[in-house]
């Protein structure tokens, strides 16, 4: 199994968490997206969308972090990252997609580069954009958590797909000095995740291509 990824990519971070939670061994293949390696050379020949992450397993290639994690959950079912009941699965997917589909697309690297290069925003305006959408999205995430029964993690007492998405978002948000105050359920889930070895091993600073 090979994972093509970039240490700072939150999408890649999600998949690393899932792999470590399931105890799966994988070869780490760095792709430096800040230098454009995803759009040139050998990687562009194997990745149709020229994005990270890309997982290679059993002769197949899989893109898009959410699809990759669900593939892993179906192929290597223990420990499960989605509840066994349809209601629980729908709630966990909704939480995960609130981050992966609502917050992240507005703030990923190519969007931030476009704001600077094409729309001529300075760094402060770009960072204000980033912080606004993170704060707005995390408030919505907290409201969703409040609708569900309590637990150590986002949904219940074991990590799920939602936690795989939450932790990278908090890490990236902290790089931009985002405001995470007034989010008790959200931050409690984050802290519970960071007590686990899988989340510690997956974090950017532990990656072989990590930079300061």
């Amino acid at each position: 199994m090979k994972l093509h990824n970039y240490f700072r990519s939150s999408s890649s971070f999600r998949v690393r968490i899932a792999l470590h939670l399931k105890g799966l061994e994988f070869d780490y293949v760095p792709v430096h997206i800040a230098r454009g390696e995803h759009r040139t050379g050998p990687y562009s020949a194997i990745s149709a969308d020229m994005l990270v992450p890309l997982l290679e397993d059993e002769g197949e290639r899989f893109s898009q972090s959410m699809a990759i994690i669900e593939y892993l959950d179906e192929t290597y079912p223990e420990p499960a990252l989605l509840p066994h009941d349809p209601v629980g699965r729908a709630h966990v997917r909704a939480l995960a997609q609130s981050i992966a589909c609502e917050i992240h697309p507005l703030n990923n690297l190519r969007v931030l580069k476009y704001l600077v290069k094409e729309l001529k925003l300075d760094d402060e305006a770009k960072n204000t954009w980033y912080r606004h959408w993170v704060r707005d999205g995390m408030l919505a995430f907290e409201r969703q958590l409040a609708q569900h029964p309590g637990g150590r993690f986002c949904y219940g007492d074991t990590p799920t797909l939602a936690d795989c998405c939450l932790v990278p978002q908090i890490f990236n948000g902290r790089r931009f000095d985002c405001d995470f105050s007034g989010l008790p359920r959200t931050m409690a889930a984050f802290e519970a995740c960071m007590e686990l070895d899988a989340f510690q091993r997956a974090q950017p600073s532990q990656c072989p291509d990590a930079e300061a």
Side-chain angles (χ1 to χ4, degrees):
M1 190 181 293
K2 293 182 181 179
L3 181 67
H4 301 259
N5 78 157
Y6 178 53
F7 79 102
R8 200 169 275 155
S9 158
S10 59
S11 298
S12 299
F13 194 172
R14 295 169 195 157
V15 176
R16 295 196 304 268
I17 292 169
L19 286 165
H20 287 307
L21 283 170
K22 290 181 176 294
L24 297 172
E25 298 294 327
F26 62 96
D27 292 330
Y28 186 108
V29 184
V31 181
H32 202 299
I33 64 174
R35 296 176 188 157
E37 291 180 0
H38 56 309
R39 296 188 175 277
T40 60
Y43 186 71
S44 65
I46 65 170
S47 173
D49 56 14
M50 291 187 285
L51 299 171
V52 291
L54 178 76
L55 182 76
E56 295 189 71
D57 187 40
E58 300 294 335
E60 296 285 346
R61 296 187 181 117
F62 305 97
S63 63
Q64 295 295 327
S65 62
M66 305 291 274
I68 292 170
I69 295 172
E70 292 220 25
Y71 163 78
L72 291 172
D73 210 40
E74 292 171 3
T75 309
Y76 308 93
E78 296 298 332
L81 298 178
L82 285 165
H84 296 296
D85 62 296
V87 171
R89 288 198 299 272
H91 287 320
V92 167
R93 286 183 174 122
L95 287 166
Q97 290 174 23
S98 288
I99 292 172
C101 302
E102 301 294 337
I103 302 174
H104 177 248
L106 291 166
N107 287 331
N108 69 14
L109 183 60
R110 58 182 174 167
V111 169
L112 299 181
K113 283 187 171 182
Y114 187 85
L115 293 175
V116 172
K117 292 183 177 180
E118 304 299 329
L119 301 185
K120 310 303 180 185
L121 271 63
D122 60 25
D123 279 347
E124 184 53 37
K126 177 198 71 176
N127 292 344
T128 298
W129 164 283
Y130 185 101
R131 294 183 192 110
H132 169 79
W133 293 116
V134 170
R135 180 66 179 172
D136 184 74
M138 295 312 300
L139 288 169
F141 190 84
E142 180 74 17
R143 291 194 297 270
Q144 288 184 70
L145 290 180
Q147 294 180 343
H148 303 310
R152 290 190 64 220
F153 299 94
C154 288
Y155 194 86
D157 290 319
T158 58
T160 66
L161 175 63
D163 301 282
C164 292
C165 292
L166 172 64
V167 167
Q169 185 60 67
I170 300 294
F171 265 73
N172 272 4
R174 284 178 167 174
R175 287 180 53 230
F176 287 84
D177 296 321
C178 292
D179 179 10
F180 292 114
S181 64
L183 304 170
R185 288 280 298 271
T186 298
M187 298 311 296
F190 172 79
E191 295 298 337
C193 289
M194 296 313 298
E195 293 175 5
L196 300 182
D197 180 66
F199 287 85
Q200 291 289 339
R201 292 175 63 198
Q203 64 176 295
S205 65
Q206 300 302 305
C207 294
D209 58 336
E211 300 170 0

